[in-house]
Amino acid sequence: MATQDDNLLKKVISHAKEYGFVFPSSEIYDGLSAVYDYGQNGVELKNNIKEYWWKFMTQTQENIVGLDSAIFMHPTIWKASGHVDAFNDPMVDNKDSKKRYRADVLVEDAIGKLEDKIEKEVEKAAKRFGETFDANMFKSTNGRVVEYQKKIDEANMRLKNAMTNGNMDEMRQLIVDLEVADPISGTRNWTEVRQFNLMFSTEMGSVAEDTNKIYLRPETAQGIFVNFLNVQKTGRMKIPFGIAQIGKAFRNEIVARQFIFRMREFEQMEMQFFVKPGEEMQWYEFWKAKRMKWHQTLGLGSENYRYHDHLNLAHYANAACDIQFNFPMGFKELEGIHSRTDFDLKSHEKFSGKKLQYFDSETNQNYVPYVVETSVGLDRMFLSVLSSAYKEEKLAAAEGKEEGNERVVLTIPPALAPNKVAILPLMKKDGLPEKALAILNDFKHDFRCYYEDKDTIGRRYRRMDAIGTPFCVTVDHQTLQDDTVTVRDRDTMKQERISIQNLKSQIQDAVSMANLLKKI
Ligand code: ATP
């Protein structure tokens, strides 16, 4: 049964295609699973999200610098990082629906359902008992809730052990014990659980020569670790400092059914922050808070974000959490913040035989720094912006005279919008297009403008709403007389007459990336 949210995701996907944001890859050949192309508006939005991240990291943080490392790297790097041996997901198939799932996700979803049951019991009781209700007391004494909690704790523990020990029989047993049914067939007819390595590999060198198996990087982080000393020395960086990188990553995901949420080729924005051993927890807390502030400053609604602590820590981490976003599919991971200890640098020291240490001139000591990582998916950021910006609105009678009384508007934060302003001559005659083009030529060096002179002005407004253009400037006959134009605000649809002289600075102020960054 389709839920409201499934409908929203479907609408966002078709809107994204219709208005040039996201196209399925290789569409004329029927597409390529979990790979997407960004269209003329999508690439602008994506670049603006990158700019928001990049400038925040490398411009407003005085101790962070950038890097652009290659996608191909020496194959031993992926041995050292643990990816060759451990970058696996457990997969399981339902024999009836023939659908494939990640076994750990099935278990986590089942645990999530038990948690929902507890929440429902608490809500019911809160209503029954009124003001005197003590939720904690209720949770620790109510028989049904205690039973659910016991099941949750046991399942979490078994999941953790199965993942840590790579025990796939236990993983399958857990699915059976939790009575997980396939959402499509409704049956519990599962295959064995198998481990599946997510890295894509290819060969470097011609076939005749000695070929070398190399991998498409599954994360950008390793490019930062292996350049740690290069950057530290040439940039004369003092600990604590960070290295930021935006780039493509590739994972042969088992299940890739959620549009650009889970892709096989995607982009990451990662920052590795190098700190003194023992200070990592304080920096972990610092980056948790900073990254949340960065997200919330966009104005997509603070209630749409939450932290989710990891119970199953990766082999390299001593603390980890996600920032989850309320996507159309529910709250899911948008960004990961991980305290990676000295695992990566130490491991690269071991495999390369080179020292990767920092000389602390204050204490006269060498040490391998600890690392706190922030890692956010650019495509997931894109989806968070697009899905929360998508709105279908009913309009008051006067608003929708010509074009019906509904509109679809993307309330994209102005600094991220693909076009900042549309410049529209009211009619395609009487010198109005020339006047409009003169404004465009003056503005185009400062921000991205859109020009259109076909169709009724109302239809043109609707098209600009649908791609999230914050302002429409209309040039009419009065403009020719007194150099004033009307400016229509995308969100309120209010129009205001202002002089061309003040126009640029007013728009600039509203769409400025610098103003957004200042609020963080
Ligand atoms: P998930 O649990 O959803 O598979 P992950 O924990 O494996 O994600 P990380 O390895 O922490 O993800 O990667 C950091 C970030 O990269 C994620 O928070 C996410 O935003 C993004 N990301 C990871 N895998 C994908 C993917 N297949 N498609 C798009 N973005 C991804």
Side-chain angles (χ1 to χ4, degrees):
M1 199 178 68
T3 64
Q4 191 61 40
D5 289 343
D6 284 339
N7 286 336
L8 174 61
L9 184 63
K10 280 193 191 124
K11 283 179 184 170
V12 168
I13 294 171
S14 79
H15 190 86
K17 179 162 179 232
E18 188 178 344
Y19 287 94
F21 283 89
V22 183
F23 306 127
S25 157
S26 323
E27 202 188 2
I28 60 170
Y29 291 95
D30 295 333
L32 183 65
S33 167
V35 185
Y36 290 89
D37 298 336
Y38 286 85
Q40 68 279 14
N41 288 316
V43 66
E44 298 294 338
L45 173 56
K46 205 174 168 197
N47 282 341
N48 293 338
I49 296 172
K50 280 194 214 178
E51 186 187 344
Y52 179 51
W53 188 88
W54 188 255
K55 287 200 164 153
F56 166 71
M57 285 295 179
T58 67
Q59 200 168 303
T60 71
Q61 309 296 302
E62 71 279 1
N63 53 358
I64 297 181
V65 292
L67 179 77
D68 183 18
S69 69
I71 288 172
F72 290 148
M73 295 197 280
H74 195 286
T76 310
I77 287 175
W78 304 111
K79 264 309 251 185
S81 68
H83 283 82
V84 171
D85 297 321
F87 196 50
N88 302 319
D89 275 346
M91 67 178 179
V92 64
D93 294 13
N94 183 271
K95 290 184 192 164
D96 301 311
S97 69
K98 307 268 183 280
K99 287 276 177 201
R100 179 159 290 174
Y101 298 92
R102 257 174 65 180
D104 55 329
V105 172
L106 289 180
V107 171
E108 275 167 7
D109 287 351
I111 293 171
K113 279 191 190 139
L114 289 169
E115 284 166 348
D116 289 347
K117 281 186 180 166
I118 293 184
E119 277 317 302
K120 287 223 176 81
E121 292 290 337
V122 173
E123 266 169 40
K124 259 197 311 191
K127 268 196 202 129
R128 211 171 341 124
F129 293 114
E131 274 186 7
T132 55
F133 181 64
D134 179 340
N136 287 336
M137 172 77 95
F138 176 78
K139 281 190 199 166
S140 59
T141 52
N142 177 277
R144 220 174 293 161
V145 171
V146 170
E147 198 53 39
Y148 289 142
Q149 192 57 51
K150 212 173 118 203
K151 267 193 176 173
I152 292 172
D153 293 343
E154 193 188 306
N156 271 324
M157 181 60 78
R158 287 177 65 189
L159 176 64
K160 185 174 175 185
N161 287 339
M163 291 295 277
T164 317
N165 304 326
N167 185 346
M168 294 300 109
D169 291 340
E170 166 67 353
M171 193 65 127
R172 184 169 191 284
Q173 196 54 47
L174 191 48
I175 291 173
V176 172
D177 293 348
L178 286 169
E179 300 180 347
V180 176
D182 176 26
I184 293 166
S185 66
T187 70
R188 297 179 189 150
N189 197 5
W190 299 107
T191 60
E192 294 306 301
V193 178
R194 276 169 298 149
Q195 292 274 33
F196 180 76
N197 193 288
L198 299 185
M199 278 199 296
F200 285 101
S201 65
T202 184
E203 272 153 24
M204 189 171 248
S206 72
V207 186
E209 293 166 21
D210 269 359
T211 55
N212 227 339
K213 185 172 179 183
I214 58 166
Y215 299 96
L216 294 182
R217 67 180 177 201
E219 61 176 30
T220 63
Q222 299 303 323
I224 295 179
F225 296 131
V226 297
N227 278 295
F228 157 71
L229 267 194
N230 282 339
V231 174
Q232 191 270 318
K233 291 223 158 103
T234 57
R236 303 161 61 83
M237 306 302 292
K238 286 226 163 7
I239 272 180
F241 74 92
I243 304 179
Q245 165 154 251
I246 299 177
K248 289 268 182 167
F250 305 82
R251 295 182 188 179
N252 199 2
E253 297 280 1
I254 297 172
V255 181
R257 293 188 203 118
Q258 286 166 332
F259 191 38
I260 53 173
F261 180 82
R262 191 174 296 289
M263 302 156 91
R264 296 205 164 101
E265 172 181 342
F266 59 100
E267 226 164 326
Q268 288 184 317
M269 305 190 286
E270 297 199 296
M271 192 279 295
Q272 310 295 326
F273 201 70
F274 299 91
V275 306
K276 199 170 173 174
E279 292 183 356
E280 71 276 12
M281 278 308 148
Q282 138 201 351
W283 286 110
Y284 172 70
E285 293 303 330
F286 173 89
W287 281 109
K288 255 176 93 168
K290 262 272 194 249
R291 293 303 302 147
M292 185 58 103
K293 190 81 201 301
W294 180 90
H295 285 289
Q296 293 187 340
T297 302
L298 276 180
L300 308 181
S302 298
E303 69 285 2
N304 287 323
Y305 300 88
R306 69 180 189 198
Y307 292 113
H308 173 78
D309 287 324
H310 284 203
L311 292 173
N312 299 315
L313 291 177
H315 57 280
Y316 52 73
N318 67 358
C321 76
D322 300 335
I323 293 178
Q324 295 184 332
F325 183 77
N326 190 10
F327 288 101
M329 312 80 80
F331 273 96
K332 301 255 179 216
E333 172 175 347
L334 171 62
E335 170 155 4
I337 296 152
H338 311 127
S339 173
R340 294 181 78 124
T341 68
D342 56 1
F343 171 84
D344 301 273
L345 292 179
K346 273 225 168 107
S347 189
H348 286 305
E349 276 196 329
K350 190 170 128 212
F351 278 80
S352 69
K354 309 266 164 36
K355 279 212 173 326
L356 293 174
Q357 301 191 354
Y358 174 77
F359 177 70
D360 190 331
S361 54
E362 277 167 28
T363 59
N364 264 333
Q365 276 177 332
N366 279 309
Y367 60 80
V368 178
Y370 270 47
V371 173
V372 175
E373 158 184 88
T374 73
S375 172
V376 56
L378 176 53
D379 312 272
R380 286 191 193 176
M381 271 305 295
F382 189 103
L383 184 58
S384 73
V385 172
L386 202 62
S387 61
S388 59
Y390 180 92
K391 299 195 176 83
E392 293 171 357
E393 290 183 352
K394 293 241 178 296
L395 305 178
E399 286 289 352
K401 280 202 296 283
E402 294 168 71
E403 294 72 38
N405 50 8
E406 280 176 9
R407 71 166 181 163
V408 172
V409 57
L410 296 184
T411 57
I412 299 175
L416 302 187
N419 299 293
K420 306 309 183 198
V421 56
I423 300 172
L424 313 169
L426 187 62
M427 291 173 194
K428 205 178 165 182
K429 57 179 186 185
D430 302 337
L432 300 183
E434 289 76 4
K435 184 75 182 168
L437 284 168
I439 299 176
L440 179 117
N441 280 327
D442 178 26
F443 283 19
K444 69 183 178 191
H445 308 287
D446 296 276
F447 33 74
R448 205 155 186 282
C449 307
Y450 189 94
Y451 175 85
E452 196 173 29
D453 55 17
K454 280 188 219 71
D455 243 339
T456 65
I457 195 74
R459 285 216 187 93
R460 282 182 271 166
Y461 285 161
R462 287 291 179 281
R463 281 201 287 274
M464 288 303 107
D465 289 343
I467 59 170
T469 307
F471 300 105
C472 287
V473 168
T474 305
V475 173
D476 56 19
H477 290 94
Q478 193 182 328
T479 312
L480 302 180
Q481 286 158 18
D482 63 5
D483 256 2
T484 62
V485 289
T486 58
V487 180
R488 173 186 179 270
D489 181 280
R490 175 194 69 194
D491 300 345
T492 63
M493 290 186 289
K494 292 231 159 62
Q495 300 192 23
E496 189 194 4
R497 193 143 201 120
I498 71 165
S499 93
I500 295 178
Q501 226 186 1
N502 300 332
L503 186 59
K504 197 195 275 182
S505 64
Q506 191 170 322
I507 294 173
Q508 218 153 21
D509 208 41
V511 305
S512 150
M513 186 64 81
N515 287 349
L516 189 63
L517 288 164
K518 271 182 213 157
K519 288 192 210 151
I520 300 174

